[in-house]
Amino acid sequence: MTDDRIRVLIVDDSAFMRRVIHNMIETNPEMDVVGSARDGLDALKKARELNPDVITLDIEMPVMDGLTALENLQKQDDYAVIVVSSHTREGASATIRALELGAFDFVTKPDNIFSMPSEEIRAELAEKIRMAYQSRKKGRKEAKTLGKVVSGIGEQDGKANDLKYLIAIGISTGGPRALSSIMPMFPADIPAAVIVVQHMPEGFTKSLANRLNEISSLTVKEAADNELLKAGNVYIAPGSHHLTLKSEGGKTRIVLSDQPPLGGFRPSVDVMMRSVADSDIENVIAVIMTGMGSDGTKGLIELRKKKKPYVIAQDESTSIVFGMPKVAIESGVVDDIAPLMEIPNRILKYMGVRQ
């Protein structure tokens, strides 16, 4: 073991899963498994003793479950946590809650656990451990408060809920927590519909939408095919489909596409932004937020060619991973760079909802 290797603690109540994850991590020369824990209480003890950089955390465990352990781990130190989640509805909901509480990211257990050591999962786990470590090392932290809910535009305007703007958001790593921070800041009567592409597997986007709907004044849902865009509604792209738009007769509907992934992503931010560019909606606010890679920039360039959007990028200090916003900024398509908790204010001011 060398001092510069990433120190990983594995937490899972299954001895088999602990061994599988251990073997996957140990094949990477950049990483070292410093220990394992069988439940949340054991994890707290081992984390104190071993001082890991990154913790892989199961959710469903005896004695102390993963969510309770995560809350206590965060009080103990600034560990970077990657959730190892099941595909079940309960597992997806718990994972969304864990991300909201501050887990860096997650990997999903395959339905057949014996396929867990596949090269694809091994590579995904290694990349997320690496990015989690870099995020912790740089000390990047999002704002921990939701901020004050911005007042609505009032009841004097009977057409307050007319669709006058479209807000298109592209986001990836760190997205659930970022979205759960800013969505409650929008009033229910904004004259805009919101469409969101969050890189996330099928099944998890519905749990994300449900959770955001619980904490927001806006109506948040997983997008459905042929659904009419309405002001005051947020539509989350399903993890299995691209989200595109079709305008006809003065109205715009959502069209879900199962076309192949673009750049490895389905849903893709580029696909969504290009579709927005081809729609009849002229008043567009595009937001590119925390995430790895460059998804969204090509779509924003296309959007800029066909319309006059207001483009906001999340700043580096509040991005868990400053990849997608950085590339967009460097391309020259961004009008405004804002910290996470300021993004809603910039959007509302642009729409004239807030002075």
Side-chain angles (χ1 to χ4, degrees):
M1 182 178 72
T2 58
D3 291 339
D4 59 348
R5 293 171 74 183
I6 302 171
R7 298 167 56 81
V8 183
L9 173 66
I10 299 167
V11 184
D12 201 297
D13 64 326
S14 164
F16 173 76
M17 286 303 302
R18 292 197 298 271
R19 173 51 55 186
V20 168
I21 296 171
H22 181 282
N23 290 344
M24 286 195 294
I25 295 172
E26 282 288 282
T27 60
N28 193 307
E30 301 175 47
M31 302 168 191
D32 182 64
V33 176
V34 296
S36 64
R38 63 186 179 274
D39 57 56
L41 197 60
D42 192 26
L44 293 173
K45 178 176 180 289
K46 294 287 179 61
R48 276 194 301 268
E49 295 172 351
L50 302 171
N51 190 31
D53 299 307
V54 179
I55 298 173
T56 68
L57 182 66
D58 186 24
I59 294 293
E60 299 174 15
M61 298 182 293
V63 185
M64 180 186 288
D65 65 84
L67 290 178
T68 305
L70 176 60
E71 292 185 271
N72 283 281
L73 284 166
Q74 290 188 317
K75 295 173 184 176
Q76 195 165 289
D77 205 337
D78 63 339
Y79 309 110
V81 176
I82 295 174
V83 172
V84 181
S85 172
S86 69
H87 269 292
T88 65
R89 180 183 301 176
E90 293 78 10
S93 297
T95 298
I96 297 302
R97 181 63 182 144
L99 295 172
E100 186 180 322
L101 288 171
F104 177 80
D105 209 334
F106 71 100
V107 294
T108 55
K109 298 176 183 177
D111 293 331
N112 180 2
I113 61 172
F114 293 102
S115 64
M116 182 77 178
S118 72
E119 185 55 41
E120 182 181 355
I121 297 175
R122 187 193 309 271
E124 179 189 6
L125 180 60
E127 178 65 13
K128 289 181 176 179
I129 288 174
R130 190 179 299 111
M131 294 301 296
Y133 171 69
Q134 290 174 359
S135 177
R136 182 189 191 227
K137 189 176 179 182
K138 291 177 181 177
R140 303 227 194 286
K141 293 186 186 292
E142 293 174 286
K144 292 186 180 297
T145 59
L146 296 180
K148 294 181 180 179
V149 176
V150 182
S151 60
I153 55 181
E155 297 300 326
Q156 72 277 11
D157 184 357
K159 297 182 179 179
N161 282 317
D162 285 353
L163 181 61
K164 298 174 183 176
Y165 293 87
L166 176 66
I167 303 167
I169 299 175
I171 193 166
S172 187
T173 309
R177 191 177 188 193
L179 292 171
S180 69
S181 294
I182 66 172
M183 283 301 169
M185 297 180 70
F186 290 99
D189 53 359
I190 60 170
V194 184
I195 54 176
V196 180
V197 163
Q198 159 74 62
H199 294 155
M200 189 170 275
E202 182 177 4
F204 288 83
T205 45
K206 185 172 183 61
S207 292
L208 173 63
N210 290 343
R211 176 57 185 162
L212 292 175
N213 189 58
E214 289 175 1
I215 62 174
S216 306
S217 298
L218 300 170
T219 299
V220 186
K221 60 178 74 175
E222 186 177 52
D225 192 47
N226 203 41
E227 190 165 12
L228 183 67
L229 287 185
K230 295 181 180 179
N233 284 256
V234 181
Y235 306 90
I236 309 289
S240 57
H241 288 74
H242 294 300
L243 190 156
T244 66
L245 302 178
K246 181 180 181 180
S247 296
E248 192 172 59
K251 296 182 178 181
T252 301
R253 296 182 181 275
I254 291 170
V255 177
L256 299 181
S257 166
D258 60 359
Q259 289 296 307
L262 181 64
F265 298 113
R266 188 175 68 192
S268 158
V269 183
D270 280 328
V271 169
M272 177 182 71
M273 294 298 183
R274 285 170 177 160
S275 179
V276 171
D278 293 332
S279 75
D280 290 345
I281 299 175
E282 291 300 323
N283 298 322
V284 177
I285 301 168
V287 188
I288 197 80
M289 297 177 65
T290 177
M292 289 185 252
S294 62
D295 189 25
T297 295
K298 291 180 180 178
L300 287 172
I301 292 171
E302 191 70 22
L303 179 61
R304 178 72 73 187
K305 288 178 181 177
K306 297 182 178 181
K307 299 187 188 297
K308 296 180 180 179
Y310 173 46
V311 181
I312 304 173
Q314 186 176 347
D315 73 353
E316 183 174 6
S317 68
T318 61
S319 292
I320 292 294
V321 179
F322 191 58
M324 288 162 54
K326 182 175 186 287
V327 175
I329 292 166
E330 291 175 346
S331 76
V333 298
V334 173
D335 298 301
D336 202 354
I337 303 170
L340 175 65
M341 301 305 288
E342 181 61 23
I343 290 173
N345 292 332
R346 303 284 174 92
I347 292 173
L348 293 170
K349 185 176 181 181
Y350 181 80
M351 294 190 299
V353 174
R354 192 181 192 198
Q355 300 301 318

